[in-house]
mmCIF file of all heavy atoms in Angstrom:
data_model
loop_
_atom_site.group_PDB
_atom_site.id
_atom_site.type_symbol
_atom_site.label_atom_id
_atom_site.label_comp_id
_atom_site.label_asym_id
_atom_site.label_seq_id
_atom_site.Cartn_x
_atom_site.Cartn_y
_atom_site.Cartn_z
ATOM 1 N N ASN A 35 -49.644 -45.933 -23.343
ATOM 2 C CA ASN A 35 -49.720 -46.881 -24.443
ATOM 3 C C ASN A 35 -51.125 -46.847 -25.010
ATOM 4 O O ASN A 35 -52.097 -46.910 -24.276
ATOM 5 C CB ASN A 35 -49.419 -48.295 -23.932
ATOM 6 C CG ASN A 35 -47.957 -48.440 -23.619
ATOM 7 O OD1 ASN A 35 -47.119 -47.975 -24.369
ATOM 8 N ND2 ASN A 35 -47.667 -49.069 -22.505
ATOM 9 N N ALA A 103 -22.357 -45.061 -55.087
ATOM 10 C CA ALA A 103 -21.777 -45.992 -56.046
ATOM 11 C C ALA A 103 -21.433 -45.275 -57.347
ATOM 12 O O ALA A 103 -22.082 -44.305 -57.729
ATOM 13 C CB ALA A 103 -22.760 -47.127 -56.323
ATOM 14 N N PHE A 176 -29.042 -39.788 -24.395
ATOM 15 C CA PHE A 176 -29.462 -38.402 -24.213
ATOM 16 C C PHE A 176 -28.315 -37.437 -24.517
ATOM 17 O O PHE A 176 -28.526 -36.384 -25.102
ATOM 18 C CB PHE A 176 -29.992 -38.193 -22.802
ATOM 19 C CG PHE A 176 -31.347 -38.815 -22.593
ATOM 20 C CD1 PHE A 176 -31.918 -38.876 -21.335
ATOM 21 C CD2 PHE A 176 -32.047 -39.339 -23.671
ATOM 22 C CE1 PHE A 176 -33.165 -39.454 -21.157
ATOM 23 C CE2 PHE A 176 -33.286 -39.914 -23.500
ATOM 24 C CZ PHE A 176 -33.848 -39.982 -22.232
ATOM 25 N N GLY A 286 -34.241 -57.364 -16.109
ATOM 26 C CA GLY A 286 -33.210 -57.637 -17.094
ATOM 27 C C GLY A 286 -33.572 -56.969 -18.407
ATOM 28 O O GLY A 286 -34.745 -56.748 -18.686
ATOM 29 N N TYR A 331 -49.422 -69.550 -17.737
ATOM 30 C CA TYR A 331 -48.473 -68.669 -18.407
ATOM 31 C C TYR A 331 -49.195 -67.516 -19.086
ATOM 32 O O TYR A 331 -50.126 -67.710 -19.852
ATOM 33 C CB TYR A 331 -47.709 -69.503 -19.442
ATOM 34 C CG TYR A 331 -46.697 -68.777 -20.289
ATOM 35 C CD1 TYR A 331 -45.744 -67.928 -19.733
ATOM 36 C CD2 TYR A 331 -46.665 -68.972 -21.671
ATOM 37 C CE1 TYR A 331 -44.802 -67.297 -20.527
ATOM 38 C CE2 TYR A 331 -45.722 -68.346 -22.471
ATOM 39 C CZ TYR A 331 -44.787 -67.500 -21.887
ATOM 40 O OH TYR A 331 -43.862 -66.882 -22.671
ATOM 41 N N ASN A 366 -68.048 -78.863 -25.691
ATOM 42 C CA ASN A 366 -69.306 -78.380 -25.131
ATOM 43 C C ASN A 366 -69.359 -76.861 -25.321
ATOM 44 O O ASN A 366 -68.899 -76.087 -24.488
ATOM 45 C CB ASN A 366 -69.368 -78.759 -23.654
ATOM 46 C CG ASN A 366 -70.705 -78.401 -23.041
ATOM 47 O OD1 ASN A 366 -71.481 -77.643 -23.630
ATOM 48 N ND2 ASN A 366 -70.966 -78.936 -21.873
ATOM 49 N N ALA A 370 -68.406 -73.629 -22.861
ATOM 50 C CA ALA A 370 -67.214 -72.850 -23.217
ATOM 51 C C ALA A 370 -67.575 -71.373 -23.351
ATOM 52 O O ALA A 370 -66.813 -70.498 -22.935
ATOM 53 C CB ALA A 370 -66.605 -73.380 -24.515
ATOM 54 N N GLY A 424 -48.727 -52.587 -22.777
ATOM 55 C CA GLY A 424 -49.619 -52.031 -23.794
ATOM 56 C C GLY A 424 -51.069 -51.934 -23.403
ATOM 57 O O GLY A 424 -51.937 -51.891 -24.261
ATOM 58 N N LEU A 445 -51.053 -68.126 -4.468
ATOM 59 C CA LEU A 445 -50.398 -68.309 -5.759
ATOM 60 C C LEU A 445 -48.919 -67.921 -5.669
ATOM 61 O O LEU A 445 -48.559 -67.008 -4.937
ATOM 62 C CB LEU A 445 -51.094 -67.431 -6.800
ATOM 63 C CG LEU A 445 -50.572 -67.448 -8.235
ATOM 64 C CD1 LEU A 445 -50.948 -68.751 -8.919
ATOM 65 C CD2 LEU A 445 -51.141 -66.272 -9.024
#
Side-chain angles (χ1 to χ4, degrees):
Chain A
N35 287 318
F176 287 172
Y331 178 49
N366 185 346
L445 180 73

